[in-house]
Amino acid sequence: MSRAATDWAWKVKSKSSSHKLLLLALADRADEYHCCYPSIKRLEKDTQLNRKTIGDGINQMIEDGLITDTGERKGPTKRVRVLCLNVEDECTPKRNDTENGNITENGTLNDPKNGMLNVPENGTLNDPKNGIQNQSLESVKEPVIESFREPDPATQNYLKRMGMTSPSEIQIPFPKNFTPNAENQSIALEKGVNVQEELIKFRDHAESMGAKKQSWHKAFNNWLRNARPAQVKPTHQSAIQVTKSGYVFIN
């Protein structure tokens, strides 16, 4: 939040109460450069105004010269406008002014000789990379961790001394999305069994027993090694007999 932008917003004579509320909401989201980029959903939640009123209000304030569309876009979809409040210089209080109760001889916070707080090369408080107040309400998809990562030897030794279980020793129920790997396919081919048929039997057995394993692929390897190939039923061969009188009989 920019205190200067908020003070300026309170002093501005707005055309309507909704414009005043919207301007205060933008000032509340502004950084030290009086720029902000809250999404429409964010403004709807802050002001309780509808989407059309917010859009019309922003466009009207741009025409009136109160705010400026920088042309930059933010957010995951790159559709959130970056707006800059045209704060007047006289409305921006000087942080290190003796009239405001700051003693200059004790050192100023943003003196170039002492190092300024919000200089880009030194890192800024409201840099988008570091996180600012103008977060969008749009959901962010988090990466899904598919498997455990094997800890390093030092961590494994520590876990053993503390009597704790390492990730590699954790046993899990049969996964619903389990699929045979290359080793399972190779063993099935060697044994002459159908891997998909054996997988159905293996899944039914594991779920009925409520079993938990460290590695279900290794357990499936053992299952396949003990599997028996399906026996092929012999086909019936007809017997043909010819009598002395020339009659033919087929059994």
Side-chain angles (χ1 to χ4, degrees):
M1 180 182 69
S2 171
R3 176 62 183 275
T6 302
D7 291 344
W8 168 80
W10 278 111
K11 295 178 181 180
V12 168
K13 186 176 181 180
S14 302
K15 292 185 175 181
S16 66
S17 58
S18 61
H19 283 194
K20 171 68 76 173
L21 179 60
L22 184 57
L23 189 60
L24 287 169
L26 294 174
D28 186 62
R29 298 286 168 182
D31 58 16
E32 69 272 21
Y33 303 111
H34 314 313
C35 293
C36 60
Y37 50 93
S39 65
I40 298 298
K41 289 184 179 180
R42 178 77 267 173
L43 291 174
E44 284 180 321
K45 185 175 182 180
D46 289 347
T47 64
Q48 296 186 6
L49 299 173
N50 59 53
R51 180 178 293 265
K52 185 178 185 302
T53 302
I54 292 173
D56 293 343
I58 291 176
N59 293 334
Q60 184 62 51
M61 286 188 286
I62 292 176
E63 292 181 6
D64 295 342
L66 296 177
I67 59 178
T68 300
D69 185 348
T70 63
E72 187 179 359
R73 299 294 182 264
K74 294 283 188 179
T77 59
K78 297 296 181 182
R79 297 177 60 184
V80 180
R81 292 188 289 185
V82 178
L83 304 173
C84 187
L85 281 66
N86 297 328
V87 179
E88 299 175 1
D89 293 338
E90 57 269 19
C91 293
T92 305
K94 296 182 180 179
R95 190 179 180 90
N96 298 296
D97 190 352
T98 53
E99 296 180 0
N100 296 330
N102 294 313
I103 302 176
T104 57
E105 53 264 27
N106 290 339
T108 62
L109 184 62
N110 285 312
D111 191 336
K113 295 181 294 183
N114 300 328
M116 299 182 67
L117 185 63
N118 289 308
V119 177
E121 53 265 27
N122 296 333
T124 61
L125 284 179
N126 290 307
D127 193 318
K129 296 181 293 184
N130 301 329
I132 62 176
Q133 292 187 4
N134 296 294
Q135 297 96 342
S136 172
L137 288 181
E138 297 179 12
S139 59
V140 179
K141 293 184 179 180
E142 297 292 339
V144 178
I145 301 176
E146 295 292 345
S147 60
F148 292 111
R149 182 179 178 182
E150 187 70 21
D152 56 83
T155 303
Q156 291 182 359
N157 292 332
Y158 173 78
L159 292 173
K160 290 180 180 180
R161 291 198 305 270
M162 298 299 295
M164 301 171 65
T165 303
S166 66
S168 61
E169 296 174 347
I170 294 178
Q171 296 185 349
I172 60 174
F174 187 81
K176 293 184 178 180
N177 59 346
F178 179 87
T179 56
N181 59 14
E183 187 177 5
N184 299 148
Q185 299 279 0
S186 177
I187 296 176
L189 182 63
E190 180 182 351
K191 294 289 294 184
V193 296
N194 187 307
V195 68
Q196 294 299 330
E197 293 180 358
E198 294 300 325
L199 176 58
I200 295 174
K201 300 175 185 178
F202 180 65
R203 178 186 289 111
D204 292 342
H205 175 77
E207 292 179 348
S208 64
M209 299 295 294
K212 293 183 178 181
K213 302 290 183 181
Q214 296 178 18
S215 174
W216 281 101
H217 283 103
K218 291 182 179 179
F220 191 37
N221 285 343
N222 294 332
W223 177 277
L224 292 172
R225 292 188 182 101
N226 295 326
R228 295 181 180 179
Q231 296 181 354
V232 180
K233 296 182 179 180
T235 58
H236 177 72
Q237 295 182 354
S238 301
I240 301 176
Q241 296 180 353
V242 181
T243 63
K244 293 181 179 180
S245 59
Y247 292 98
V248 177
F249 293 92
I250 299 177
N251 296 328

